[in-house]
Amino acid sequence: MRVILAVIVTILATAAQADMLSMATKFNNMHERSISFLGVNARRTSWCGAFLAYVAKRSSRQPPANPNMAVSWKNFGRPVLTRFARPGDVVVMRTGKQRFHVSLFHHFDTKRQYVYLFGGNQSDRVQLSRYKVSSIVAVRR
């Protein structure tokens, strides 16, 4: 019985991650001038966390407390080792001394030196962007 329950939970978790990525891709190339539905001022707020919170809620997932702060996503779901990241996993990146960015895992490059993430506030829009794998501070599922 426990094995069956574990399999069901794993299947549901995999579906939820995929749902977040498929939900996010519906906003592909949306510019920050068009994100008023997030309830943040894109000129004053790093809106990557707000976008991810919107996607999580629309995918029946619970965002962390203070979801507009990218670093708070280190508390989302459960931890995953970077090398085991799957499409739709939440990735928190360090972008400066006290600055972070949060997005959804898409894929690694062939040498695994770069990671491709899909999310908001990436060059002022929602899009797929490339980052160094070494800047990852957390992967969450």
Side-chain angles (χ1 to χ4, degrees):
M1 182 66 172
R2 288 183 184 172
V3 172
I4 294 170
L5 183 59
V7 169
I8 291 170
V9 168
T10 302
I11 290 169
L12 292 175
T14 302
Q17 320 163 185
D19 285 347
M20 284 182 64
L21 186 57
S22 64
M23 175 61 68
T25 58
K26 292 178 182 181
F27 300 94
N28 190 30
N29 283 323
M30 181 175 280
H31 195 274
E32 68 181 15
R33 290 186 303 262
S34 304
I35 62 151
S36 59
F37 61 93
L38 296 179
V40 296
N41 182 338
R43 291 183 178 189
R44 296 184 184 159
T45 305
S46 294
W47 53 276
C48 58
F51 176 73
L52 210 54
Y54 180 83
V55 167
K57 289 176 187 174
R58 301 273 315 255
S59 302
S60 301
R61 299 288 306 268
Q62 181 63 44
N66 302 314
N68 291 359
M69 294 180 58
V71 72
S72 70
W73 286 87
K74 288 171 58 175
N75 299 316
F76 177 78
R78 61 182 173 86
V80 176
L81 294 174
T82 300
R83 68 177 176 262
F84 297 123
R86 294 192 299 216
D89 284 346
V90 171
V91 178
V92 179
M93 314 284 295
R94 183 175 299 281
T95 59
K97 192 172 185 177
Q98 293 292 322
R99 296 181 51 114
F100 296 89
H101 178 68
V102 65
S103 203
L104 296 173
F105 179 82
H106 193 273
H107 70 278
F108 290 111
D109 73 331
T110 55
K111 295 183 180 180
R112 289 190 170 244
Q113 293 178 333
Y114 294 95
V115 60
Y116 288 81
L117 303 177
F118 192 88
N121 202 22
Q122 296 179 177
S123 298
D124 300 331
R125 65 184 59 249
V126 177
Q127 66 180 20
L128 184 67
S129 299
R130 184 179 82 158
Y131 300 89
K132 287 189 175 232
V133 169
S134 60
S135 61
I136 295 175
V137 295
V139 178
R140 308 293 290 190
R141 182 168 297 145

